[in-house]
Amino acid sequence: MPESSYSGKDIQVLEGLEAVRKRPGMYIGSTGPKGLHHLVYEVVDNSVDEALAGCCSAIEIVIHADNSISVTDNGRGIPVDNVPKYRKSGVEVALTILHAGGKFGGSGYKVSGGLHGVGVSVVNALSSRLEVEVKRGGQVWQMTFERGKPLGPLRSVGKTKATGTKVTFWADPDVFETTEFSWDTLSSRMRETAFLNKNLKITLVDERELEPRREEFRYAGGILDFVKYLNDKKEPLHSRPIYFETEGAEGVAEVALQWNTGYSEAVLAFANNINTHEGGTHLDGFKNALTRTINDYARRQGILKDKDENLSGEDIREGLTAVISVKLNEPQFEGQTKTKLGNTEMRSFVQSIVTTGLAEFLEEHPKPARAIVNKSTQAAKARAAARKARELTRRKGLLESSTLPGKLADCSIREAALTEVYLVEGDSAGGSAKQARDRSFQAILPLRGKILNVEKAGINRALSSEEIQAMITALGTGIQDEFDLQQARYHKVIIMTDADVDGAHIRCLILTFFYRFMRPMIDAGYIYIAQPPLYKLSYGKKHEYAYSDKELQRAIGALAENTKYTVQRYKGLGEMNPEQLWETTMDPARRTLLQVSLDDAMAAEEAFIDLMGDQVEPRKVFIQRHAKSVRYLDV
Ligand code: 0RA
């Protein structure tokens, strides 16, 4: 379509998409890997909306060899008729007008209206090219765009009896820092989406590999299968997850829960398929009902006596894996990251269905019921004992920030926001780091050997571990329900371990500690991973460092022909002298730090259990696959 034929309205439209290109972050969060993957979710969410409307049973996502992405569904197809208000085809409206999604037709609980529900037009704006194919009304329609602008009108290219939509897009390299999609990130998200939409078949294909990789997700049990999956590597307390589903005027609520013999709580809450990380009314309703119903049951059975205190929610949720999924018509998202459900009607709705469903389960299944109550009373006892132990250690001054651990080499600046602490594997590397550091703002805490796996040990044992006490006192925040971010003594906590498998293991143990005891530190973005180099390449009087095999090969390739060089492989931090450690890993001007984020609760949970649970095999596999290539750790 020649530019000159645009009307005034069209120009406004283009300005809309121009705004997206000017400030992509406002629409998709970032232009890093996270924002990039967001493009896929945006398109898929539109297909999922078709599934929620009962009009789509299968979605296929293909990562093509050139990192373009196709999303194909068998929904109704984007409307092709003229939309009078805009005097354009529905397809063009959907792809060029911001927030057009819900404005022309469509009903049911929508995903795409939710969190980042910005619409496919944003994907179009941020793609160097986008092709859409719609099967609808007996015909196949096509239209192509570049940087959001149509290359021509929507045209019919053939006949078909099928319906559906296929969107292929090339993320714009001028907008994104990288256009390389991650299989792991996409597959974990697609699995989650499949769990949340019972029976919806989602296929993910990767054509970048010689032998295309393909995985199909389809769960007849929905979130019941989700809970089974999350508990897969754990030992369940009762064989089948408890599950209920209710539809009312408020919407639909589904709940699945199963306790395991472990100590951690994994309760995930979703609203219209959006992971409500910050919780909200549906989660509150669930927790209230759970605490009340278990206490009522324990009293009625005489397990709790009149003189006994009620079991606390935390005790009851120890070892609980649960998924709550609600779908409602006008979700209100609140909170800092807009991931907190605000609709008040959901509190009582979820509370009442959980109360009824759980009470019924307990009455009908006395054996698991008893096991669950016993587990909670055990937790209550352990917590009381731990509290006592903590009070004792506190009295001894062990957990008080006034007595810092002896081996901490603290920095001189007191302003936490300006300071950082390195948690260093081993005393010898710790020694080098102490010499290398800038002592004004860098503190060093050497940790000896493998720190305790807090996933396997209860809180009692964890608190009596010397290394863990040292971390707690050095960081100053306290732990778990007594955690206070304001008290953090440093705003950067940098984990520095050897670049080998043992180092990766220790790093994971330390991360597990943060995940279980100081999760808000991760949420606040305070936790980092140092990147020591793997190689030193020396030639003539010069040298450079390489942080991966690829980088080393590139550096060698860049040398003039016949240049003599030597390569030193660093197996551990100890092989670097303090000066080298400073220039490669600790100097803020030259180092690279990886910020740890756990925004994908499921993947995180899964990875930690793989790594820290009782089974050795998945841990090995994970470490071998990721040890060398952990680029950004929002797993
Ligand atoms: C607007 C209205 C309707 C469907 C869609 C858009 C739609 C968008 C996408 C994006 C990817 N796949 C899609 N499938 C459908 C409702 C159509 C109707 O009422 O028939």
Side-chain angles (χ1 to χ4, degrees), residues 578-591:
E579 221 166 82
Q580 292 172 330
L581 196 58
W582 169 254
E583 64 182 28
T584 60
T585 319
M586 295 179 70
D587 176 5
R590 283 176 283 184
R591 71 186 177 192

Side-chain angles (χ1 to χ4, degrees), residues 423 447-456 468 471 495 497 501-517 608 611-613 619 623:
L423 307 179
L447 296 171
R448 197 168 308 138
K450 299 268 157 99
I451 75 158
L452 185 78
N453 183 347
V454 299
E455 182 74 34
K456 280 204 222 158
I468 287 184
M471 281 198 282
I495 303 167
T497 59
V501 170
D502 273 349
H505 188 202
I506 291 168
R507 180 170 68 217
C508 287
L509 290 165
I510 297 174
L511 284 173
T512 305
F513 162 78
F514 283 113
Y515 187 69
R516 294 294 174 220
F517 286 3
F608 276 104
L611 289 168
M612 296 301 144
R619 178 156 68 222
I623 291 173

Side-chain angles (χ1 to χ4, degrees), residues 35 83 100 122 125 160 180 202 210 217 223 225 248-249 271 277 297 302 322 363 426 457 465 482 524 579 623:
V83 179
V122 167
T160 180
E180 178 93 17
I202 304 184
L210 243 52
F217 306 106
I223 61 166
D225 288 335
H277 293 284
Y297 180 80
E363 294 304 333
S465 147
E482 287 171 9
E579 221 166 82
I623 291 173

Side-chain angles (χ1 to χ4, degrees), residues 112-123:
S112 54
L115 180 56
H116 285 285
V118 286
V120 272
S121 61
V122 167
V123 178

Side-chain angles (χ1 to χ4, degrees), residues 43 46-47 50 73 75-79 94 101 104-106 120 136 165 167:
V43 181
N46 279 276
S47 301
E50 287 294 287
D73 67 53
R76 286 167 293 188
I78 305 178
F104 59 109
V120 272
R136 195 177 161 108
T165 305
V167 173

Side-chain angles (χ1 to χ4, degrees), residues 1 31 73 87-88 129 161 283 286 338 352 446 458 511 528 557 575 585 595 600 607:
M1 204 191 287
T31 53
D73 67 53
R87 286 191 274 129
K88 293 168 188 292
R129 184 181 174 88
K161 281 185 184 140
L283 183 62
F286 169 79
K338 291 271 176 279
S352 106
L511 284 173
Y528 297 83
E575 293 174 21
T585 319
Q595 191 175 39
D600 184 338

Side-chain angles (χ1 to χ4, degrees), residues 42-51 53 55-56 71-80 90-91 94-95 100-107 110 112 120 132-134 136 164-167:
E42 196 59 53
V43 181
V44 171
D45 281 354
N46 279 276
S47 301
V48 171
D49 283 344
E50 287 294 287
C55 304
C56 163
V71 178
T72 310
D73 67 53
N74 62 355
R76 286 167 293 188
I78 305 178
V80 293
V91 172
L95 282 147
K103 292 213 177 98
F104 59 109
S107 58
K110 274 190 182 303
S112 54
V120 272
V132 57
E133 182 181 279
V134 173
R136 195 177 161 108
T165 305
K166 175 180 181 182
V167 173

